[in-house]
């Protein structure tokens, strides 16, 4: 099986009491809220465990429902390559809720690759890529579409393990379809989006594969801010575009077959892998299982 999901006879510690949740520092911010480092310390002697708490910004009813869906999503995911869900914390009398997850001290892939670029070799980057593939394969086996696959949402658990870390935009594909259409796209990460997601708000396993190609580009650019996807696309589109929206320019650029350039010291066989993920026609894009196999083979070749 892709993920050894064993059932722990763990106490179902899914309810964290707000009064024992001690705020320590911020871990990250986004459009809808933030993730904070906290210590859950019921004994009050600082022996409690460190946890990552994801808070919703506005307690608008709709966000609360989406958040509840995210909690339900994470609750069923048991995979070595997906961040572990620990439980929820209700506050203000169930008016607002927070999501409690495992805390991984290495933080996101962005900071980690930038900081350690000198001692991370191709094999390790390919190992990380294959783990993201496995996590995505598992997610898709449950008919989930992530919709926000990006290096900023990948967590580093150890020097040899990464985990997919954010399911704020994840949707379940209905059984009678193979895609999900979003009605109210909020602030969208369009520079990680497949063409059909930009123009038709259509999301599927194959649009996640497109985003995976962009994550590969980020990894082999060491998440260097100078070469991040948004900056590279905006350079090509031109910064002073007026009138028509950026997404129209981006969709035309992709229709005209322009793609993110090969990162400077990217191994020759990795860029074609990104290009496979960026096929304009989603039926031509590989499955995560195909990608995983190709990457495993590259890891073997790197060993020799
Ligand atoms: C990389 C992680 C996910 C991304 N992130 C983040 O801050 N956000 C993800 C969603 C956005 S949000 O605030 O927009 C959001 C808020 C509510 C609903 C939906 C979205 C914030 C930082 C995290 N981070 C550094 C962590 N570091 C160490 N251990 C961890 N355990 C779990 C996360 C985590």
């Amino acid at each position: 099986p892709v993920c050894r999901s064993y059932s722990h006879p763990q106490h179902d510690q899914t309810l964290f009491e707000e009064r024992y949740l001690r705020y320590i520092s911020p871990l990250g911010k986004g459009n809808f809220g933030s993730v904070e480092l906290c210590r859950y310390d019921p004994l009050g002697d600082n022996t409690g465990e460190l946890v990552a708490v994801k808070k919703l910004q506005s307690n608008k009813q709709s966000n609360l429902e989406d958040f509840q869906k995210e909690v339900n999503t994470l609750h069923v995911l048991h995979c070595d390559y997906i961040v572990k869900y620990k439980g929820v914390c209700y506050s203000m009398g169930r008016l607002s809720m927070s999501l409690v997850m495992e805390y991984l001290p290495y933080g996101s892939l962005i900071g980690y690759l930038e900081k350690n670029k000198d001692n991370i070799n191709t094999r390790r980057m390919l190992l990380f890529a294959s783990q993201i593939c496995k996590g995505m394969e598992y997610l898709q086996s449950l008919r989930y579409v992530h919709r926000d696959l990006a290096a900023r949402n990948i967590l580093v658990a150890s020097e040899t393990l990464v985990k997919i870390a954010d399911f704020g935009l994840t949707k379940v594909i209905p059984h009678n379809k193979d895609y999900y259409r979003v009605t109210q796209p909020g602030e969208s990460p369009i520079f990680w989006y497949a063409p059909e997601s930009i123009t038709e708000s259509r999301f599927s396993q194959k649009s996640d594969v497109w985003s995976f190609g962009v994550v590969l580009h980020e990894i082999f650019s060491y998440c260097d801010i100078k070469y991040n996807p948004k900056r590279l696309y905006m350079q090509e589109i031109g910064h002073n575009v007026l009138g028509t929206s950026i997404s129209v320019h981006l969709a035309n650029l992709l229709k005209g077959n322009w793609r993110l350039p090969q990162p400077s010291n990217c191994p020759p066989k990795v860029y074609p892998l990104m290009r496979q993920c960026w096929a304009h026609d989603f039926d031509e894009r590989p499955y995560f299982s195909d990608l995983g196999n190709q990457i495993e083979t590259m890891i073997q070749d790197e060993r020799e």
Side-chain angles (χ1 to χ4, degrees):
V2 166
C3 276
R4 298 183 307 281
S5 57
Y6 34 82
S7 61
H8 268 307
Q10 71 194 13
H11 55 284
D12 192 11
Q13 156 68 53
T14 63
L15 202 59
F16 289 77
E17 296 192 51
E18 188 186 29
R19 59 189 163 138
Y20 298 136
L21 212 49
R22 296 261 175 74
Y23 171 79
I24 296 177
S25 61
L27 286 172
K29 267 197 82 55
N31 328 317
F32 313 97
S34 61
V35 177
E36 299 168 348
L37 174 59
C38 296
R39 181 186 297 280
Y40 190 62
D41 200 30
L43 301 180
D45 59 1
N46 270 355
T47 61
E49 63 175 341
L50 293 176
V51 289
V53 180
K54 184 169 177 180
K55 292 179 180 316
L56 257 185
Q57 196 120 45
S58 64
N59 300 329
K60 273 207 314 282
Q61 185 56 27
S62 61
N63 275 356
L64 211 52
E65 281 153 18
D66 289 352
F67 205 54
Q68 184 60 53
K69 277 190 208 139
E70 183 182 352
V71 170
N72 302 340
T73 304
L74 260 176
H75 203 162
V76 302
L77 299 181
H78 295 283
C79 178
D80 298 344
Y81 309 110
I82 288 183
V83 68
K84 284 199 180 2
Y85 158 87
K86 284 180 155 318
V88 288
C89 172
Y90 290 105
S91 47
M92 292 153 55
R94 295 182 95 86
L95 234 194
S96 94
M97 66 188 292
S98 302
L99 182 52
V100 183
M101 298 171 277
E102 64 175 327
Y103 165 63
L104 299 179
Y106 283 101
S108 98
L109 200 50
I110 296 234
Y112 183 80
L113 285 183
E114 274 177 328
K115 227 176 293 170
N116 300 282
K117 69 185 300 181
D118 302 336
N119 55 22
I120 292 180
N121 59 20
T122 300
R123 232 167 65 71
R124 203 121 73 82
M125 292 152 95
L126 289 171
L127 175 68
F128 289 167
S130 74
Q131 292 171 344
I132 299 168
C133 266
K134 289 194 179 86
M136 287 308 297
E137 229 181 299
Y138 171 77
L139 210 57
Q140 297 195 343
S141 69
L142 299 173
R143 297 186 67 76
Y144 282 119
V145 179
H146 188 281
R147 297 186 52 239
D148 197 7
L149 201 50
R152 65 178 173 277
N153 285 334
I154 303 293
L155 266 180
V156 180
S158 75
E159 311 209 325
T160 55
L161 178 63
V162 292
K163 302 190 179 195
I164 301 171
D166 189 70
F167 296 84
L169 300 179
T170 305
K171 300 287 180 190
V172 186
I173 299 183
H175 273 279
N176 57 345
K177 291 198 294 184
D178 64 354
Y179 67 91
Y180 187 94
R181 195 174 298 282
V182 171
T183 46
Q184 77 296 352
E187 169 88 6
S188 307
I190 58 167
F191 299 105
W192 278 258
Y193 271 8
E196 71 275 9
S197 306
I198 299 170
T199 55
E200 308 159 44
S201 298
R202 192 188 192 283
F203 294 87
S204 65
Q205 307 187 356
K206 291 301 181 68
S207 57
D208 274 347
V209 165
W210 177 290
S211 303
F212 175 78
V214 182
V215 172
L216 268 183
H217 191 276
E218 292 184 276
I219 291 175
F220 284 89
S221 310
Y222 294 97
C223 293
D224 187 333
I225 186 84
K226 289 197 303 293
Y227 306 112
N228 93 337
K230 177 169 184 174
R231 183 183 290 240
L232 291 171
Y233 277 121
M234 287 311 290
Q235 264 164 10
E236 194 59 30
I237 291 174
H239 288 276
N240 52 1
V241 291
L242 301 172
T244 42
S245 71
I246 302 274
S247 52
V248 168
H249 284 277
L250 179 59
N252 292 337
L253 199 59
L254 297 174
K255 188 100 185 102
N257 230 3
W258 188 87
R259 293 293 182 273
L260 292 168
Q262 175 157 352
S264 41
N265 50 12
C266 174
K269 56 204 167 193
V270 176
Y271 188 62
L273 210 59
M274 300 179 202
R275 296 300 295 245
Q276 286 177 41
C277 299
W278 299 333
H280 197 276
D281 176 355
F282 51 79
D283 283 327
E284 284 167 31
R285 293 173 209 154
Y287 284 101
F288 278 110
S289 44
D290 308 333
L291 283 165
N293 294 336
Q294 291 184 63
I295 294 171
E296 295 291 336
T297 309
M298 292 179 187
I299 293 176
Q300 300 309 328
D301 298 350
E302 280 296 320
R303 204 194 304 274
E304 275 124 35

